[in-house]
Amino acid sequence: MKLDVVIVGGGASGSMAGIISARLGKKVAIIEKNGYIGKKLNITGKGRCNVTNDCSKEDLIRNVPRNPKFLYSAFSTFSSQDTMNFFKELNVPLKVERGNRVFPVSDRAIDVSKALEKELKRLNVKILEEDAIEILVEDGICKGVKTNSNTYLADSVLIATGGKSYTGTGSTGDGYKFAQSVGHTITKLVPSLVPMVAEEKYCSDMMGLSLKNVRLNLFDGDRCIYSELGEMLFTHFGVSGPLVLSASSHISKMQQGRYKIYIDLKPALNVETLDRRIQRDFSENINKTFINSLNKLLPNKIIPVVAKLSEIRFDTKVNQITKEQRSKLVHIMKNFPITIKDFRPLNEAIITSGGVSVKEINPKTMESKLVQRLFFTGEIIDVDAYTGGFNLQIAFSTGYVAGINM
């Protein structure tokens, strides 16, 4: 079958590219082994789909720690405002929440993927439930794609297969093999936006405890490399939640014990104010033991851990606690320590850091510099961003650019 455009992968960037190419009158097919659009999209944002972030192009760039300059042209061509308008036109009403995160009003990720699928079908884009097995290249020009059951010749081919995270959604790293097979460099693949394993057993003792409005400070040795206010979660292996996922993308080379997290459990109070608050609580509970005096200040699950780290005996009466002991307690509350042992596995990461080298892709078109008429979009490229809708914006921007250039 001869086509204008063949897209391998029906995720966010592949769907966007397919829609834009088809709107420009191209005959388009998407090869998607799941047989339907947006399987990974449906689980983003805890099933709500954080479509984009309602911010300026400069803010988009600031939230891309890896190769941000490569995306300057793509973000200029298709901004977060363009993404919001695009979905409104597809009858997906959107709302803006804390941190400028943009979600569908329905809070249903499936409404986003269904809207993309409906538009693809309206434009007569074929969605083929097949496995791509080879990219066909002759004399440095991409000619098509071979699948497990057919060969599709095309004027342009887009690899939009995603990374290696969430392998259950079909992101099994096939695209990296295709890119390598035609001469592209793949930079080291590591998990990003991923939960982290802690050395301390007390993290698993607090499993299920969610902390809100705390400050997470990530240290590489003596240097603070990330500091942010927000939410986090203790798990059976260590820590997770939005703050932890964002912190993980600042770790360049995981080494056991090299990175430490310090949680400020009371970021709204400085040391002196927190000390006065503790003294007030103690004076109101003068006959209580230390372990029973902290429930107004801290969640129940963390009290035994904080108490143990303070080295104050649990059965000490609060009126017997010294200034020095209280000072240590304040310090622990402002610097609750967690030693990072490792990342969780790649298939638990939200995104894969690393991919096709940006030096080998034209940032204005998303076309390969090595193979004519071969394009790359989304997570397969060596770019990634923080949580908050930025990674999906990368997918939509690069997908749009490829769509108008194929």
Side-chain angles (χ1 to χ4, degrees):
M1 186 191 290
K2 180 72 168 74
L3 295 148
D4 295 318
V5 172
V6 169
I7 296 167
V8 185
S13 72
S15 298
M16 176 63 83
I19 287 167
I20 300 307
S21 287
R23 284 180 181 177
L24 293 170
K26 301 297 180 188
K27 192 177 176 186
V28 182
I30 295 177
I31 298 166
E32 173 49 68
K33 58 183 163 189
N34 290 316
Y36 63 92
I37 292 304
K39 188 170 183 181
K40 186 174 176 183
L41 206 56
N42 289 341
I43 60 171
T44 60
K46 297 178 183 171
R48 295 172 62 218
C49 191
N50 186 181
V51 176
T52 185
N53 194 284
D54 183 14
C55 66
S56 66
K57 176 179 66 184
E58 288 70 29
D59 278 337
L60 288 176
I61 292 288
R62 270 194 286 273
N63 279 278
V64 179
R66 195 168 178 91
N67 298 318
K69 285 181 185 170
F70 174 81
L71 292 165
Y72 194 87
S73 180
F75 286 155
S76 300
T77 307
F78 197 77
S79 67
S80 54
Q81 294 304 315
D82 293 323
T83 296
M84 292 166 76
N85 292 335
F86 174 84
F87 282 106
K88 284 171 189 169
E89 285 164 14
L90 295 186
N91 296 314
V92 181
L94 302 173
K95 60 181 175 178
V96 181
E97 296 188 0
R98 183 178 54 79
N100 296 325
R101 290 166 160 84
V102 179
F103 293 91
V105 169
S106 66
D107 283 330
R108 284 161 43 93
I110 199 162
D111 291 350
V112 176
S113 58
K114 288 292 179 198
L116 292 170
E117 193 158 30
K118 186 178 175 185
E119 182 67 357
L120 287 164
K121 284 178 177 170
R122 185 186 76 78
L123 294 162
N124 297 313
V125 174
K126 288 182 169 58
I127 298 165
L128 309 165
E129 189 174 358
E130 297 175 29
D131 257 334
I133 55 174
E134 188 185 350
I135 304 300
L136 305 173
V137 175
E138 278 178 35
D139 302 322
I141 301 168
C142 192
K143 297 290 188 180
V145 178
K146 189 177 178 183
T147 73
N148 55 337
S149 50
N150 289 293
T151 296
Y152 298 96
L153 300 178
D155 294 330
S156 294
V157 170
L158 167 62
I159 300 177
T161 49
K164 280 192 84 168
S165 50
Y166 286 141
T167 50
T169 63
S171 299
T172 50
D174 298 347
Y176 301 125
K177 293 176 200 159
F178 298 146
Q180 266 182 319
S181 73
V182 297
H184 274 281
T185 306
I186 307 299
T187 63
K188 189 180 178 187
L189 305 175
V190 294
S192 189
L193 302 182
V194 65
M196 294 193 272
V197 182
E199 280 186 11
E200 291 84 2
K201 183 186 172 295
Y202 53 65
C203 288
S204 61
D205 294 341
M206 295 184 285
M207 182 172 72
L209 173 62
S210 178
L211 298 178
K212 291 180 169 61
N213 301 316
V214 295
R215 178 170 288 280
L216 183 149
N217 300 300
L218 173 67
F219 278 77
D220 178 358
D222 296 331
R223 190 166 57 95
C224 183
I225 56 172
Y226 174 77
S227 179
E228 193 59 64
L229 202 68
E231 299 176 25
M232 62 169 289
L233 173 73
F234 290 102
T235 69
H236 66 284
F237 54 76
V239 283
S240 187
L243 281 178
V244 173
L245 299 181
S246 290
S248 72
S249 62
H250 290 262
I251 293 178
S252 54
K253 189 179 180 186
M254 177 56 77
Q255 292 172 332
Q256 187 172 343
R258 173 176 168 178
Y259 296 93
K260 284 201 90 158
I261 284 172
Y262 293 96
I263 312 295
D264 186 345
L265 299 169
K266 294 291 168 186
L269 305 177
N270 64 23
V271 170
E272 292 76 19
T273 312
L274 179 56
D275 186 39
R276 285 198 299 273
R277 167 72 199 273
I278 290 169
Q279 287 183 70
R280 192 175 77 228
D281 284 3
F282 283 179
S283 65
E284 289 171 4
N285 298 285
I286 205 144
N287 293 316
K288 278 194 175 180
T289 56
F290 171 54
I291 195 65
N292 294 317
S293 67
L294 300 172
N295 53 349
K296 280 187 180 176
L297 258 182
L298 298 169
N300 285 337
K301 270 192 175 178
I302 205 171
I303 289 172
V305 184
V306 169
K308 191 172 182 183
L309 290 171
S310 76
E311 298 179 341
I312 301 169
R313 281 174 53 116
F314 288 14
D315 59 356
T316 307
K317 289 277 196 277
V318 293
N319 60 355
Q320 295 173 343
I321 293 172
T322 66
K323 184 180 177 182
E324 288 72 23
Q325 287 175 314
R326 211 174 58 240
S327 176
K328 177 113 188 243
L329 174 62
V330 169
H331 178 77
I332 294 299
M333 284 192 197
K334 299 290 284 179
N335 300 276
F336 185 87
I338 298 163
T339 310
I340 300 304
K341 195 174 179 178
D342 206 349
F343 292 130
R344 287 293 283 174
L346 188 55
N347 64 2
E348 288 183 33
I350 293 177
I351 58 164
T352 309
S353 182
V356 180
S357 170
V358 295
K359 294 174 187 168
E360 299 167 358
I361 302 170
N362 183 336
K364 291 190 168 131
T365 62
M366 297 299 137
E367 186 177 9
S368 164
K369 290 179 180 177
L370 310 184
V371 180
Q372 289 176 51
R373 314 310 300 155
L374 177 65
F375 294 76
F376 298 99
T377 58
E379 200 183 333
I380 193 169
I381 303 170
D382 183 18
V383 288
D384 59 80
Y386 302 138
T387 56
F390 302 105
N391 287 291
L392 271 181
Q393 184 58 46
I394 290 173
F396 294 132
S397 292
T398 55
Y400 182 89
V401 168
I404 58 174
N405 283 288
M406 285 192 293

